[in-house]
Amino acid sequence: MATQVADSVTASSVEPINEKALLSPDTTKAGDASSERPASSIDSKSVVEASVPGAPVGPVKTPPTNPLPGCSPAPRAELTAEEQTKYDEVLATVTAWTEIPNTSAKNAPTAPLTENEQLWLTRECILRYLRATKWHVPQASKRLLETIVWRREYGVEGFTADYIAPENGTGKQVIYGYDNEGRSCLYLNPNKQNTKQGERQVQHLVYMLERVIELNPPGQETLALLINFKESSASSNPSVATGKQVLNILQNHYPERLGRALISHLPWYVTAFFKLISPFIDPLTKTKMKFNEPLTDHVPASQLIKNSGGEVDFTYDHDVYWPALNSICDQKRKEYKERWVSAGKKIGESEAYLKGGEGSAPVTAVAAPAPTLAEEVKAEEPVKA
């Protein structure tokens, strides 16, 4: 699915790009969906360059598990009193959910929230959906429910490493290194497409999104996409329907997760495809897309793969990389859940604590009673993230 996702969220050409004409992003307003923390006055690139270890001696075949010293996000501002009140309202709502539908079909059978679904409903998760809906409490609650139902229906937790492995046999998606703000980097390499278009390509993307999120350090909620169209061909260009499906998943079920999309070596046919799907990409997502910029402006050279302009002599060996990546993620996932269990299995737990952040502590607040599920899901139309 590397090609599908890359094509569906990017476009331009190998010639000089008029980004304003292609993207025409709206000016960001306070509280807009997919908004990130205010830009720091400190240049993260200059901080990283002050003193960083050199690249590992190659060929490297496994991913690093931590960003370089100095590569970390600035902390988010404290919630205002109004924002805290709205958070508390959503927390109360989701805590009161007893059973939810198993599918999006009308009158679908229901089942109780599983432990993993309760674990997914962290403090930061709830806040991401509030930001994505401009702090609209009913819409945030509704969209959280829709995502949990989607995760059940799509089978996100059922995608195993063995099932997804054939899609990644050539390394068309690689998680390697961290950018200047500590975001885990997911490389999409369309030129390494090895399968025909099908649902498992989309599932492959979802699987890798889940892994890249697990590899993020404490305090970092977003990820970096590095999309390289060098030597790619038009034959792997996805359909508009597939592009829309991917965008729906990214924008509706992974809101506030994209930090940067760094896109390079763009062929003409991606520009054409982009123009077809551009109306479906929300303006703030477009502002995070960077075209043909030196990737070392965003990622330390010692954690950037050579064919992207870095210093890391990385070779994709599926028999080495794939089990290593999944072993690392399995261990992180295990520790994450163990901390949640130790802290009392609370909805609204802190991700910084769950990821083992230094000095972090579990949440101690208890949610108040909330409206019933039937009251909660009265149909307001969802907004795009």
Side-chain angles (χ1 to χ4, degrees):
M1 186 55 206
T3 307
Q4 293 180 339
V5 182
D7 291 345
S8 65
V9 297
T10 67
S12 190
S13 70
V14 292
E15 299 176 357
I17 299 167
N18 182 344
E19 293 183 30
K20 290 184 179 179
L22 278 177
L23 301 179
S24 301
D26 292 347
T27 301
T28 303
K29 300 175 183 177
D32 269 355
S34 302
S35 59
E36 287 203 38
R37 62 170 180 79
S40 171
S41 59
I42 300 174
D43 181 353
S44 61
K45 181 174 182 288
S46 64
V47 172
V48 172
E49 288 179 342
S51 176
V52 297
V57 177
V60 177
K61 296 185 178 182
T62 59
T65 57
N66 293 292
L68 295 178
C71 293
S72 60
R76 285 190 182 271
E78 293 292 326
L79 298 183
T80 65
E82 181 182 7
E83 290 169 345
Q84 182 64 51
T85 297
K86 291 182 176 183
Y87 168 79
D88 291 340
E89 290 178 23
V90 178
L91 175 62
T93 295
V94 301
T95 301
W97 290 343
T98 53
E99 295 200 352
I100 65 172
N102 289 326
T103 73
S104 56
K106 188 176 180 179
N107 299 321
T110 63
L113 281 177
T114 67
E115 283 199 349
N116 283 347
E117 290 167 344
Q118 295 174 55
L119 173 57
W120 180 81
L121 286 164
T122 61
R123 172 181 172 81
E124 288 77 8
C125 176
I126 293 169
L127 289 172
R128 284 191 290 272
Y129 279 75
L130 275 165
R131 293 187 183 100
T133 55
K134 303 179 183 179
W135 297 90
H136 190 288
V137 169
Q139 286 186 2
S141 301
K142 182 173 184 290
R143 283 190 50 185
L144 281 162
L145 179 62
E146 288 172 342
T147 292
I148 295 178
V149 172
W150 170 79
R151 291 174 69 88
R152 285 184 173 189
E153 188 170 18
Y154 200 61
V156 174
E157 292 185 20
F159 301 153
T160 65
D162 287 344
Y163 172 70
I164 297 296
E167 290 293 335
N168 215 66
T170 56
K172 67 186 177 190
Q173 293 191 34
V174 169
I175 300 172
Y176 189 93
Y178 298 82
D179 76 0
N180 292 340
E181 295 188 12
R183 300 183 185 95
S184 190
C185 296
L186 174 57
Y187 291 74
L188 305 181
N189 303 304
N191 67 316
K192 296 184 178 180
Q193 181 59 265
N194 63 323
T195 60
K196 294 182 179 180
Q197 288 189 39
E199 191 58 37
R200 192 166 62 179
Q201 287 189 342
V202 182
Q203 294 167 345
H204 179 208
L205 165 68
V206 171
Y207 183 85
M208 295 299 273
L209 287 174
E210 295 286 316
R211 304 292 79 80
V212 78
I213 290 167
E214 288 168 351
L215 287 172
N216 266 348
Q220 181 52 267
E221 300 179 48
T222 64
L223 58 93
L225 294 180
L226 282 67
I227 309 166
N228 186 353
F229 284 98
K230 189 175 183 179
E231 299 178 358
S232 63
S233 66
S235 62
S236 54
N237 203 35
S239 66
V240 173
T242 298
K244 288 173 64 177
Q245 179 189 5
V246 170
L247 283 171
N248 174 69
I249 289 171
L250 293 173
Q251 295 177 169
N252 292 332
H253 303 306
Y254 292 89
E256 293 282 307
R257 285 299 196 181
L258 180 63
R260 289 287 182 274
L262 308 174
I263 306 137
S264 55
H265 299 99
L266 296 153
W268 65 268
Y269 54 83
V270 178
T271 304
F273 181 82
F274 175 82
K275 287 179 179 177
L276 291 173
I277 67 166
S278 184
F280 305 103
I281 304 178
D282 70 83
L284 287 175
T285 295
K286 294 175 184 178
T287 67
K288 298 175 183 180
M289 296 162 63
K290 307 297 179 183
F291 295 91
N292 288 338
E293 295 185 3
L295 298 189
T296 49
D297 286 352
H298 302 278
V299 183
S302 60
Q303 287 217 338
L304 182 65
I305 294 174
K306 271 186 177 179
N307 66 10
S308 294
E311 299 173 354
V312 179
D313 182 13
F314 177 83
T315 299
Y316 187 79
D317 182 335
H318 186 73
D319 291 338
V320 176
Y321 177 88
W322 194 245
L325 171 69
N326 286 285
S327 177
I328 292 167
C329 291
D330 287 348
Q331 183 62 28
K332 285 185 176 288
R333 194 161 55 250
K334 177 175 178 288
E335 293 171 356
Y336 190 90
K337 187 165 185 177
E338 285 175 348
R339 294 187 188 100
W340 182 70
V341 172
S342 296
K345 299 183 178 180
K346 290 188 289 291
I347 291 175
E349 189 54 85
S350 160
E351 287 180 6
Y353 162 72
L354 294 172
K355 285 180 171 282
E358 185 176 351
S360 60
V363 170
T364 57
V366 177
T372 65
L373 178 61
E375 292 171 335
E376 158 55 26
V377 292
K378 277 190 203 170
E380 277 193 62
E381 287 300 317
V383 298
K384 288 185 178 180

